[in-house]
Amino acid sequence: MDLRPTSGRELRYTLTIVLADVRRTLTVPELLDALNRLGMTAAGRPAKTISDALRWEVRKGRVVQPARGRYRTGRIPRSTLWWTRQQAFAATHERESAVR
């Protein structure tokens, strides 16, 4: 299975949804595994790309970083979670249709 490199907003949205769905603290390698199961990988240096992508969400309080390389869901309003899920889904399927 070919993994599609992703970065930026698409990566940020996808990682936020992964964290919200598992409801526990995940390490960067666990987040990368979750991305791989979705058919994606972090572009460039994966650990740096993931931490860079989540930095914005940490500032907004939607993701919490309890320790270096570990992340968990923070406080996400339901409407924001719904919107983020829609954006991640749209970005993923937009890219899939462009490849075909």
Side-chain angles (χ1 to χ4, degrees):
M1 173 167 148
D2 286 336
L3 298 176
R4 184 173 47 81
T6 186
S7 61
R9 271 188 254 169
E10 180 183 5
L11 179 61
R12 195 174 87 217
Y13 296 153
T14 304
L15 292 171
T16 302
I17 295 304
V18 165
L19 287 167
D21 288 348
V22 298
R23 296 183 180 162
R24 65 181 179 88
T25 301
L26 293 178
T27 63
V28 171
E30 290 171 329
L31 287 167
L32 186 57
D33 287 343
L35 281 176
N36 293 166
R37 285 192 299 275
L38 295 171
M40 300 182 214
T41 188
R45 292 175 27 212
K48 182 172 180 357
T49 303
I50 287 172
S51 66
D52 288 350
L54 289 175
R55 188 174 300 125
W56 173 266
E57 298 299 325
V58 168
R59 266 189 258 136
K60 291 294 187 178
R62 295 187 281 253
V63 172
V64 176
Q65 186 179 16
R68 186 172 182 246
R70 297 180 182 278
Y71 298 91
R72 65 178 167 81
T73 303
R75 188 165 187 274
I76 307 176
R78 272 195 333 220
S79 59
T80 302
L81 186 60
W82 176 85
W83 186 88
T84 303
R85 195 177 301 277
Q86 297 303 309
Q87 295 301 309
F89 181 81
T92 301
H93 285 77
E94 180 180 296
R95 274 195 167 188
E96 284 177 2
S97 63
V99 171
R100 291 181 188 169

